[in-house]
């Protein structure tokens, strides 16, 4: 098999080391072989980006629009093919994979428009005869470090605004899902970007990732991944005064009140907790349910789970694909034991499943009789496992929902406006969903959380400019 190479300074570069990309639905299927870079290659990419940064900072909005629009159009035109690649390497179902690719294309289109809309302000000074202008300038060189669970959308929502606002980029994708990253880099390589403006180095976090985080010529790091790695990166960036933006884990609550429409609540819970195999930072892992609807809700969720089709991600009709790899599968199974030891009841699922091919399949798992202080309700599992927390009323549900170190997304199912709007105001999450799953967001509005889930300014929408630009205030006297 051909080794897919890194992209540095407008050229495809190999380094003699590589990694196999394995299909989690069928471990005998090798998706591709991808170069495995090191800190030396990262250094070369950073040097190329530094060299190219000032030229790109001076590019016109029209140039940026044309390039980003080209990239978005090609991604959208190849949605079926790239969606298939995504599902094959990551394990989410084909409709989910194609949906994610579509979103990546839309994001590039959105930021093509943003490149044209970037504006400053002209403000009268408090002093006579003086003008004040507030303008935004690119940050310079941005390091983009991404996880495996959204292998094209997350790179898109970091790389597109970085380029739209005039930055040069060094991109390090996740080791587990380099296929979509490589396909994206290949499209960018034909988009008309000057050499060095965009670079991609595949490889490990401790080698390539750490070089980006600690290099003096990288002006900002945009990271999505686990809380442990995020915490370390934050300290390192602050120490050398680099700008940093982190999106990390979640333990997202979905509150279901007595007055909720049962069907809506069950759909929100099953979609939020189990779709994409629960491997979403916005997954609903804590289902907080009031007394009056508890039994009906639990029974209806279990009935739905019994019919949920777990199989090969590419098979028609599959609703939940495999877990991404064996390490994550073992972690999920270990958490099922933790839950049992803590006294939770495994009301449904959790067992390993056998399918036509060798893959990392497990049944979606539902715990009942859980408390919010159990580890299964405090730690991010990142798998198809949810716990029911039974509460007496809305007020208790709100306290439990907010009692977590995370704060990414929070949902409520209710037909009462008073509870919906109270929850909107008092939830300590960055995103609130009413009668909707906690996962699943638009591409043109801000995305991000509070507390342990996020650090720094918001991603996506026009709010992304806060990270990818720096503000200059100019005073002018004639
Ligand atoms: P991870 O933290 O292990 O890795 C993320 C990226 O960081 C990878 O590219 C990895 O190689 C790199 N990395 C690892 N160690 C590094 C280091 N020391 N220095 C620099 N880079 C390093 O996370 P993962 O397992 O790939 O992804 C799962 C996690 O991502 C979950 O915790 C999930 O909640 C989180 N996530 C968050 C969001 C969000 O927007 N909040 C979205 C998706 C995923």
């Amino acid at each position: 098999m051909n080794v897919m190479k890194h992209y540095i300074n407008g050229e495809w570069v190999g380094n003699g080391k590589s990694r196999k990309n394995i299909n989690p639905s069928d471990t005998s299927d090798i998706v591709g072989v991808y170069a495995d870079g090191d800190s030396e290659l990262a250094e070369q990419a950073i040097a190329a980006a530094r060299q190219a940064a000032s030229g790109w900072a001076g590019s016109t909005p029209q140039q940026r629009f044309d390039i980003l629009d080209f990239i978005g159009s090609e991604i959208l035109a190849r949605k079926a093919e790239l969606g298939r690649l995504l599902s094959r390497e990551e394990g989410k179902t084909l409709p989910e994979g194609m949906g994610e690719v579509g979103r990546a294309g839309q994001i590039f289109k959105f930021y093509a428009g943003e490149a044209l809309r970037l504006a400053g302000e002209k403000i009268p000074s408090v002093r006579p005869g003086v003008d004040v202008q507030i303008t935004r300038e690119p940050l310079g060189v941005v390091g983009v470090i991404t996880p495996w669970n959204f292998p094209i959308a997350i790179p898109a929502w970091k790389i597109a605004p970085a380029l739209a606002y005039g930055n040069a980029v060094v991109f390090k994708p996740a080791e587990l899902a380099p296929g979509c990253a490589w396909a994206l880099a290949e499209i960018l390589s034909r988009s008309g970007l000057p050499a060095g403006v965009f670079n991609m180095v595949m490889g490990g976090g401790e080698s390539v990732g750490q070089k980006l985080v600690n290099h003096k010529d990288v002006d900002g790091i945009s990271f999505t991944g686990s809380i442990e790695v995020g915490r370390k990166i934050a300290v390192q960036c602050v120490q050398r005064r680099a700008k940093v933006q982190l999106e990390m884990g979640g333990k997202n609550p979905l509150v279901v009140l007595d007055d909720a429409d049962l069907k809506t609540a069950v759909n929100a819970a099953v979609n939020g907790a189990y779709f994409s195999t629960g491997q979403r930072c916005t997954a609903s892992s804590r289902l907080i349910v009031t007394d009056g609807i508890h039994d009906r809700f639990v029974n209806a969720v279990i009935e739905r789970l019994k019919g949920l089709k777990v199989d090969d991600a590419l098979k028609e009709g599959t609703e939940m694909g495999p877990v991404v790899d064996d390490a994550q599968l073992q972690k999920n199974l270990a958490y099922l034991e933790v839950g049992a030891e803590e006294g939770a009841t495994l009301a449904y699922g959790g067992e390993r499943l056998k399918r036509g091919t060798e893959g990392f399949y497990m049944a979606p798992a539902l715990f009942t009789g859980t408390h919010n202080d159990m580890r299964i309700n405090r730690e991010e599992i990142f798998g198809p496992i949810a716990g029911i927390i039974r509460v007496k009323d809305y007020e208790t549900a709100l306290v439990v929902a907010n009692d977590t170190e995370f704060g990414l997304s929070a949902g409520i199912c209710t037909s009462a406006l008073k509870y919906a709007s109270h929850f909107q105001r008092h939830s300590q999450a960055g995103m609130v969903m009413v009668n909707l799953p906690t996962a699943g967001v638009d591409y043109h509005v801000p995305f991000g959380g509070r507390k342990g889930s996020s650090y720094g300014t918001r991603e996506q929408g026009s709010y992304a400019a806060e990270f990818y630009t720096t503000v200059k205030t100019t005073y002018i006297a004639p």
Side-chain angles (χ1 to χ4, degrees):
M1 257 183 182
N2 266 348
V3 176
M4 313 304 251
K5 295 178 177 164
H6 314 283
Y7 185 64
I8 300 173
N9 205 19
E11 290 182 4
W12 296 101
V13 181
N15 65 318
K17 275 172 70 187
S18 62
R19 214 186 271 263
K20 282 183 190 150
N21 185 3
I22 308 279
N23 176 352
S25 299
D26 174 2
T27 54
S28 69
D29 175 31
I30 296 167
V31 181
V33 181
Y34 292 85
D36 183 19
D38 52 24
S39 56
E40 216 168 282
L41 276 175
E43 185 109 35
Q44 285 176 28
I46 294 165
R50 183 85 272 162
Q51 183 78 23
S54 63
W56 184 244
S59 61
T60 64
Q62 187 65 52
Q63 281 173 296
R64 297 182 199 173
F65 173 90
D66 289 343
I67 288 171
L68 293 169
D69 190 58
F70 167 91
I71 298 166
S73 298
E74 177 155 342
I75 293 172
L76 290 173
R78 292 171 58 192
K79 190 168 139 178
E81 171 213 337
L82 295 175
R84 205 176 163 78
L85 170 66
L86 199 165
S87 297
R88 197 171 150 217
E89 74 171 343
E90 198 271 353
K92 61 182 68 170
T93 66
L94 189 54
E96 288 172 337
M98 284 171 59
E100 184 183 331
V101 171
R103 182 169 167 199
Q106 301 287 19
I107 287 168
F108 273 96
K109 293 272 187 186
F110 174 82
Y111 284 107
E114 284 298 280
L116 297 175
R117 283 188 287 267
L118 191 62
E121 287 178 87
K122 187 166 180 294
I123 295 185
S125 168
V126 293
R127 287 172 278 167
V130 175
D131 261 345
V132 182
Q133 290 179 12
I134 303 166
T135 48
R136 285 187 181 274
E137 295 179 359
L139 209 53
V141 174
V142 175
V144 166
I145 302 176
T146 57
W148 50 264
N149 67 326
F150 282 92
I152 195 160
I154 293 179
W157 83 52
K158 294 179 189 297
I159 294 166
L163 296 174
Y165 299 124
N167 300 280
V169 172
V170 181
F171 168 40
K172 191 210 91 63
E175 300 91 312
L176 272 181
C180 286
W182 191 91
L184 183 61
E186 197 279 325
I187 296 172
L188 266 75
S189 76
R190 290 184 283 101
S191 65
L193 275 173
V197 173
F198 169 79
N199 309 272
M200 178 189 65
V201 182
M202 296 169 283
E206 286 302 330
S207 51
V208 180
Q210 277 293 293
K211 179 56 77 180
L212 291 180
V213 170
N214 290 309
H215 201 291
K216 65 174 177 33
D217 280 339
V218 178
D219 302 289
I221 292 285
S222 184
F223 166 86
T224 299
S226 61
I227 198 160
E228 298 76 23
V229 175
R231 221 177 251 150
K232 177 172 166 180
I233 289 178
V235 171
Q236 292 174 318
C237 285
V238 169
Q239 261 167 356
R240 67 173 187 89
R241 296 181 309 281
K243 206 167 176 180
V244 62
Q245 174 184 61
L246 311 172
E247 290 298 342
M248 299 170 287
K251 199 70 200 174
N252 309 289
L254 177 72
V255 170
V256 178
L257 297 185
D258 288 355
D259 65 12
D261 175 70
L262 187 63
K263 200 167 152 213
T264 302
V266 171
N267 282 341
V270 172
N271 175 321
Y274 304 107
F275 284 13
S276 297
T277 322
Q279 298 173 149
R280 292 188 284 189
C281 50
T282 46
S284 326
S285 44
R286 295 184 298 141
L287 306 174
I288 304 166
V289 187
T290 49
D291 278 337
I293 197 170
H294 176 273
D295 293 355
R296 280 182 296 140
F297 176 76
V298 169
N299 290 336
V301 169
I302 290 174
E303 275 315 301
R304 177 75 182 84
L305 292 184
K306 282 181 186 163
L308 194 85
K309 208 164 160 234
V310 182
D311 210 328
D312 189 316
L314 294 176
K315 222 181 208 176
E316 206 180 326
T318 295
E319 292 176 282
M320 191 179 106
V323 172
V324 73
D325 69 355
D326 191 48
Q328 183 63 49
L329 178 63
Q330 297 311 324
K331 183 177 167 194
N332 296 349
L333 298 175
Y335 267 109
L336 292 175
E337 281 178 26
V338 169
E341 280 161 19
E342 289 180 311
T345 304
L346 185 60
Y348 183 81
E351 67 275 16
R352 267 209 83 158
L353 297 174
K354 278 216 169 300
R355 290 295 178 258
T357 47
E358 201 59 50
F360 307 115
Y361 299 105
M362 68 175 279
L366 183 71
F367 278 117
T368 52
T370 79
H371 301 293
N372 201 42
D373 49 7
M374 290 177 171
R375 278 182 59 200
I376 52 167
N377 284 327
R378 301 215 77 85
E379 298 168 15
E380 185 185 50
I381 300 174
F382 221 55
I385 301 172
I388 303 266
I389 304 171
R390 184 175 185 149
V391 293
K392 65 177 190 307
D393 53 21
Y394 165 72
E395 288 72 22
T396 321
L398 176 65
V399 171
V400 172
N402 283 335
D403 177 14
T404 167
E405 75 165 299
F406 298 104
L408 188 56
S409 179
I412 186 166
C413 292
T414 178
S415 51
L417 182 61
K418 73 169 178 175
Y419 291 131
S421 54
H422 189 275
F423 189 76
Q424 181 195 359
R425 280 199 305 280
H426 296 282
S427 164
Q428 293 166 2
M431 296 177 290
V432 171
M433 310 289 181
V434 178
N435 293 320
L436 287 165
T438 55
V441 296
D442 287 4
Y443 65 85
H444 66 309
V445 290
F447 175 95
R450 299 184 186 175
K451 303 201 280 190
S453 289
S454 301
Y455 182 80
T457 54
R458 285 283 182 270
E459 297 201 83
Q460 301 194 55
S462 54
Y463 284 62
E466 289 300 324
F467 180 75
Y468 293 101
T469 63
T470 177
V471 169
K472 183 176 275 174
T473 312
T474 308
Y475 296 83
I476 305 170

